[in-house]
């Protein structure tokens, strides 16, 4: 019953004119960036963080969340019509979605991806509402040692589930943690690693790292590969799938939703993993697997549902434990901190309006996306014709104005340019930058919990693995170590590669 | 290989930077212990990356492009230097104004035009019209609508 009362409170908050407007705005922007190839949700949220300063926290988070799941919708439009994944999670949609478009079923592909996403989003919203309270209660039992171990586990998961080399991802997490120590020490106030630069004594601004490494570095990467956009010239056709297609999609949508919702909760890039898992599953259990890759509607319905469910449930670790499972959620932590909210189990107690308002807004947002996407598809297709050579200077300009406005300080803009160069160098050396951002966001908390645990244990470092007195912490560490070992086993590494290649 | 060396170098840099911080003893970890611990881990990970690079045949390093970074990041630096002007602190001479505060109305088109140079295709008329229109749009959006305290034309007091 609690859940119903909570959701009622949430809908009360979300149904104000202002919050509805912000939700709509977020969904529009999200769809826009999902549609435009080369502009990711991470860069956009980083870009818009400063603009949310003027809003109240509830409104700001509702809008940012809308951008995130809106981008998942928009990404599929580009995948189906242009054969380019507008967003990392729609890589799989390209395979069968674009083939469907070639076969003259573009409308049906767009339709089923919207319907599947809406269904998955609605289910995921209920999952969040149902899981939030019990998980929060568990989290409140946690002491500093458990928290530290939980964060270690979260980071290891993020590393193992990241694309590319595990060891390089470990290096990125460590780099992120190190960057978080720049600035004044939490306890003694001593300047740390500032190299005598007064500009650095406040620490490195989260937005400069995020925008530099994601926004600028992404632009640099995109500029290297000349764009070829093969926008579908033929007609889109009816947006409603026919009866046969509906029947074929029903089970994939259900399975995709379940898989996506479960994987989305995992730390790491859960929302990216869901579509891959769903596609593999559908192909495996299909009566005729050879249809896949040639326009099988199951290959669109399943992954699309999975990616939206995952996008939504990835809010669970953030909202209940205060631990961001991926880079976008790390940005949400940044947004919450800017507004003076410490993410974690306390949020639900102290700010139920914010917590449930945001969850309710997700359901409303999903409904809005259905309306935004289907009738307005023509408009989005036109937008695809904006050439990248005009797009990227505009993004650059927005970024510059955004970073400048955080502290009214041009120095921040220079720091961002520096991180842009560093991010570009990382990409060239084969590093993924997302783990770095996670490490950076968790760094300060981890250090605090580590120091507190050691202080409480009177210098005994075995607190984290003490199975008798601290079983939760010990289990978390054990899982983390196990994951790490498994990821280094050659057989698994090979399998992991094929999952991501396909 | 190169990546591993980079990580090791960074680890050593942190080790050096945190060497003047107190590490703390026993139960009380000082400000230096966390960074120092990380620096050791970084060096260790760097070694593993090098070993891996030497034993596993991976894809070759991608070529770096010069044009993109120079014009894109150059445009960003220009924005930073022109929006509120730049003052240099030269030893012996003292504070010198390198650039006066020019504001968004100058920094905007400058940033956009320089950034456009990063693309391989070029159409000057289009770029100039686009830059002017985009700057006007930004002024309307950020200064007029969102009221961010960004200098638009400081010499005219706006």
């Amino acid at each position: 019953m609690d859940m119903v009362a909570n959701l009622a409170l949430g809908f009360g908050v979300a149904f104000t004119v202002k919050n509805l407007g912000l939700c709509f705005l977020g969904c529009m922007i999200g769809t826009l960036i999902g549609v435009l190839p080369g502009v990711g949700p991470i860069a956009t949220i980083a870009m818009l963080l400063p603009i949310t300063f003027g809003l109240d926290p509830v409104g700001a988070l509702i809008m940012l969340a809308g951008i995130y799941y809106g981008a998942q919708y928009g990404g599929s439009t580009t995948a189906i019509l242009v054969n380019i994944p507008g967003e990392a999670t729609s890589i799989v949609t390209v395979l069968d979605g674009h083939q469907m478009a070639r076969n003259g079923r573009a409308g049906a592909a767009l339709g089923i991806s919207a319907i599947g996403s809406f269904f998955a989003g609605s289910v995921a919203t209920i999952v969040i509402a149902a899981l939030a309270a019990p998980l929060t209660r568990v989290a409140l039992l946690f002491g500093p040692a458990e928290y530290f171990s939980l964060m270690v586990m979260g980071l290891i998961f993020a590393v193992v589930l990241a694309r590319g080399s595990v060891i390089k991802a470990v290096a990125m997490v460590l780099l992120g943690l190190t960057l978080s120590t720049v600035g004044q020490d939490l306890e003694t106030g001593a300047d740390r690693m500032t190299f005598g630069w007064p500009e650095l004594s406040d620490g490195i601004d989260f937005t400069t790292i995020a925008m530099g490494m994601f926004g600028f570095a992404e632009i640099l990467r995109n500029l290297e590969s000349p764009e070829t956009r093969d926008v579908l010239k033929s007609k889109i056709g009816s947006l409603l799938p026919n009866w046969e297609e509906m029947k074929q999609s029903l089970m994939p949508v259900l399975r995709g939703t379940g898989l996506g919702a479960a994987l989305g909760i995992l730390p790491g890039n859960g929302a990216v993993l869901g579509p891959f898992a769903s596609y593999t599953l559908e192909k495996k259990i299909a009566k005729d697997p050879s249809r896949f890759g040639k326009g099988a509607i199951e290959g669109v319905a399943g992954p699309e549902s999975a990616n939206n469910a995952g996008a939504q449930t990835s809010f669970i670790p953030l909202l209940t434990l205060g631990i961001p499972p991926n880079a976008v959620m790390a940005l949400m932590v940044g947004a919450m901190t800017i507004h003076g909210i410490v993410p974690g189990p306390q949020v639900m107690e102290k700010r139920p309006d914010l917590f449930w308002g945001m969850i309710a807004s997700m359901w409303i947002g999903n409904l809005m996306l259905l309306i935004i996407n289907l009738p307005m598809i023509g408009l989005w297709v036109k937008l695809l014709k904006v050439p990248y050579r005009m797009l990227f200077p505009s993004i650059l300009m927005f970024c510059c104005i955004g970073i400048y406005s955080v502290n009214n300080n041009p120095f921040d803009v220079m720091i961002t340019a520096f991180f842009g160069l560093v991010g570009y160098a990382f990409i060239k050396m084969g590093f993924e930058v997302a783990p770095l951002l996670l490490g950076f966001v968790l760094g300060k908390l981890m250090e605090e919990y580590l120091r507190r645990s050691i202080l409480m244990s009177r210098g005994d470092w075995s607190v984290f693995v003490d199975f008798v007195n601290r079983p939760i912490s010990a289990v978390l560490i054990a899982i983390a170590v196990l994951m790490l070992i498994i990821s280094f086993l050659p057989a698994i590494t090979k399998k992991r590669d094929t999952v991501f290649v396909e | 290989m190169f990546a591993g060396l980079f990580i090791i170098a960074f680890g050593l840099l942190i080790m050096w930077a945190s060497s003047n911080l107190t590490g703390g003893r026993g139960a009380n970890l000082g400000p230096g212990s966390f960074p120092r611990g990380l620096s050791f881990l970084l060096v260790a990970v760097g070694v593993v990356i090098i070993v891996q690079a030497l034993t596993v045949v991976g894809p070759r390093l991608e070529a770096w492009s010069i044009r993109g970074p120079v014009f894109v990041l150059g445009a960003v630096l220009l924005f930073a230097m022109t929006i509120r002007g730049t003052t240099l602190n030269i030893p012996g001479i003292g504070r010198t104004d390198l650039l006066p505060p020019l504001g968004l109305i100058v920094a905007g088109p400058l940033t956009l035009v320089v950034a456009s140079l990063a693309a391989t295709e070029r159409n000057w008329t289009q770029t100039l019209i686009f830059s002017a229109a985009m700057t006007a749009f930004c002024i309307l959006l950020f200064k007029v609508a969102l009221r961010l305290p960004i200098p638009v034309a400081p010499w005219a007091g706006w």
Side-chain angles (χ1 to χ4, degrees):
Chain A
M1 252 353 257
D2 249 10
M3 198 178 104
V4 178
N6 287 331
L7 281 178
L9 167 73
F11 276 106
V13 174
F15 260 116
T16 59
V17 176
K18 200 188 81 200
N19 287 344
L20 280 176
L22 286 169
C23 184
F24 183 72
L25 192 66
C27 291
M28 283 292 272
I29 299 172
T31 311
L32 175 69
I33 58 157
V35 167
L36 293 171
V39 195
I42 303 177
T44 314
I45 294 180
M47 220 151 79
L48 289 175
L49 275 184
I51 299 172
T52 65
F53 284 178
L55 301 170
D56 66 315
V58 187
L61 289 174
I62 285 179
M63 188 177 101
L64 293 175
I67 295 175
Y68 180 46
Y69 54 75
Q72 321 285 332
Y73 269 75
S76 50
T77 306
T78 326
I80 292 166
L81 294 180
V82 202
N83 204 15
I84 295 173
E87 221 268 311
T89 49
S90 33
I91 294 169
V92 210
T93 313
V94 170
L95 302 175
D96 279 284
H98 190 63
Q99 287 309 317
M100 279 184 77
R102 286 263 165 93
N103 302 343
R105 299 298 300 159
L110 290 166
I112 198 67
S113 82
I115 296 168
S117 298
F118 174 70
F119 174 78
S122 309
V123 172
T125 305
I126 298 171
V127 172
I128 300 178
L131 279 183
L135 264 177
T136 305
R137 242 170 274 136
V138 172
L140 288 172
L141 298 174
F142 280 22
E146 281 80 10
Y147 256 112
F148 179 78
S149 306
L150 182 68
M151 288 183 193
V152 171
M153 191 191 80
L155 287 176
I156 302 262
F157 261 85
V159 160
V160 174
L161 298 181
R163 265 185 279 182
S165 150
V166 173
I167 190 74
K168 283 187 172 173
V170 173
M172 282 289 112
V173 167
L174 290 173
L175 271 179
L177 289 172
T178 313
L179 287 176
S180 79
T181 63
V182 173
Q184 276 165 359
D185 178 41
L186 300 161
E187 280 167 37
T188 59
D191 260 359
R192 291 200 292 184
M193 306 208 283
T194 56
F195 302 99
W197 282 21
E199 284 89 351
L200 285 179
S201 67
D202 279 342
I204 299 170
D205 214 50
F206 169 76
T207 37
T208 61
I209 293 194
M211 244 189 260
M213 294 213 178
F214 288 103
F216 293 175
E218 198 61 40
I219 289 177
L220 291 175
R221 172 156 49 181
N222 287 333
L223 280 174
E224 284 184 354
S225 42
E227 55 178 334
T228 41
R229 285 191 206 166
D230 138 45
V231 180
L232 201 74
K233 303 271 180 345
S234 59
K235 278 185 78 125
I236 291 171
S238 156
L239 288 169
L240 267 187
N242 60 35
W243 186 239
E244 185 58 26
E245 286 165 330
M246 288 283 228
K247 267 202 307 210
Q248 279 176 324
S249 311
L250 178 67
M251 286 318 283
V253 166
L254 292 177
R255 284 189 289 259
T257 303
L259 260 178
L263 288 170
I265 304 176
L266 284 186
N269 42 3
V272 181
L273 220 55
F276 283 97
S278 164
Y279 191 80
T280 319
L281 177 74
E282 292 308 328
K283 200 172 168 182
K284 213 160 248 167
I285 61 174
K287 282 195 200 102
D288 178 15
S290 68
R291 278 175 51 246
F292 281 78
K294 292 179 195 145
I297 197 162
E298 299 96 311
V300 179
E304 275 303 309
S305 314
N307 98 41
N308 212 48
Q312 223 104 323
T313 52
S314 61
F315 278 90
I316 292 178
L318 171 75
L319 291 173
T320 56
L321 307 171
I323 292 182
N326 58 38
V328 175
M329 292 301 124
L331 286 166
M332 297 295 277
V333 173
M336 288 169 112
T337 332
I338 286 169
H339 286 284
I341 297 162
V342 183
Q346 308 86 354
V347 175
M348 196 158 55
E349 302 248 315
K350 287 189 189 149
R351 295 294 308 266
D353 60 319
L354 180 130
F355 189 92
W356 296 107
M358 196 163 137
I359 290 171
S361 84
M362 289 183 190
W363 189 82
I364 300 173
N366 273 294
L367 190 65
M368 283 179 176
L369 280 166
L370 209 54
I371 299 163
I372 292 173
N373 271 275
L374 294 182
M376 288 168 71
I377 208 85
L379 179 74
W380 300 121
V381 174
K382 282 211 184 69
L383 265 172
L384 275 167
K385 292 183 179 130
V386 177
Y388 195 64
R389 81 190 129 86
M390 299 183 104
L391 200 57
F392 84 86
S394 322
I395 301 169
L396 214 57
M397 176 96 151
F398 285 143
C399 283
C400 286
I401 297 176
I403 310 154
Y404 171 83
S405 318
V406 176
N407 298 318
N408 289 322
N409 187 357
F411 183 75
D412 288 346
V413 182
M414 295 189 189
I415 292 272
T416 313
F418 170 73
F419 280 124
L421 188 64
V422 173
Y424 178 68
F426 281 155
I427 293 171
K428 285 290 159 191
M429 288 191 277
F431 290 105
E432 280 282 326
V433 279
L436 184 143
L437 197 65
L438 277 182
F440 181 76
V441 167
L442 289 178
K444 282 211 159 55
L445 273 177
M446 271 184 95
E447 182 179 8
E448 203 185 316
Y449 286 130
L450 174 71
R451 282 161 81 171
R452 228 188 278 162
S453 326
I454 294 300
L455 191 66
M456 281 163 68
S457 74
R458 303 201 184 86
D460 183 4
W461 282 79
S462 66
V463 268
F464 303 112
V465 289
D466 185 347
F467 267 101
V468 183
N469 298 319
R470 298 230 161 258
I472 302 178
S473 166
V475 166
L476 291 171
I477 292 283
I479 296 175
V481 172
L482 207 69
M483 282 296 287
L484 203 57
I485 293 171
I486 290 174
S487 74
F488 277 113
L489 294 179
I492 304 285
T493 335
K494 238 176 245 155
K495 194 151 215 173
R496 206 167 126 258
D497 287 346
T498 55
V499 167
F500 281 117
V501 165
E502 204 179 354
Chain B
M1 177 75 192
F2 191 61
L5 287 176
F6 171 81
I7 296 295
I8 293 179
F10 193 84
L12 292 175
L13 175 76
I14 300 305
M15 223 179 269
W16 172 73
S18 59
S19 59
N20 61 339
L21 297 165
T22 44
R25 282 229 173 71
N28 211 346
L29 296 179
S33 16
F34 195 63
R36 206 168 302 152
L38 288 173
S39 70
F40 289 127
L41 285 174
L42 275 168
V43 173
V45 166
V47 171
V48 177
I49 293 179
I50 290 182
V51 171
Q52 220 176 35
L54 292 177
T55 50
V56 182
V57 185
R60 277 186 58 81
L61 274 185
E62 285 173 61
W64 289 50
S65 70
I66 304 286
R67 182 190 204 107
V70 166
F71 288 112
V72 168
L73 300 177
V76 175
L77 286 180
L78 263 178
F79 180 90
M81 288 166 73
T82 49
I83 187 82
R84 264 194 7 205
T86 313
T87 319
L88 280 183
N89 224 339
I90 305 166
I93 305 173
R95 291 172 75 81
T96 330
D97 283 334
L98 184 69
L99 283 169
L102 296 171
L104 191 56
I105 218 159
V106 178
L110 207 59
T111 311
L112 290 163
V113 170
V114 173
S116 301
L117 293 174
T120 36
E121 261 179 275
R122 191 152 306 114
N123 178 341
W124 278 107
T125 350
Q126 209 184 33
T127 307
L128 291 175
I129 296 172
F130 162 72
S131 302
M134 195 65 208
T135 306
F137 173 72
C138 283
I139 293 173
L140 285 176
L141 176 67
F142 293 102
K143 185 76 178 184
V144 180
L146 292 166
R147 290 167 202 250
L148 291 183
I150 190 158
V152 171
W155 66 86
W158 193 31

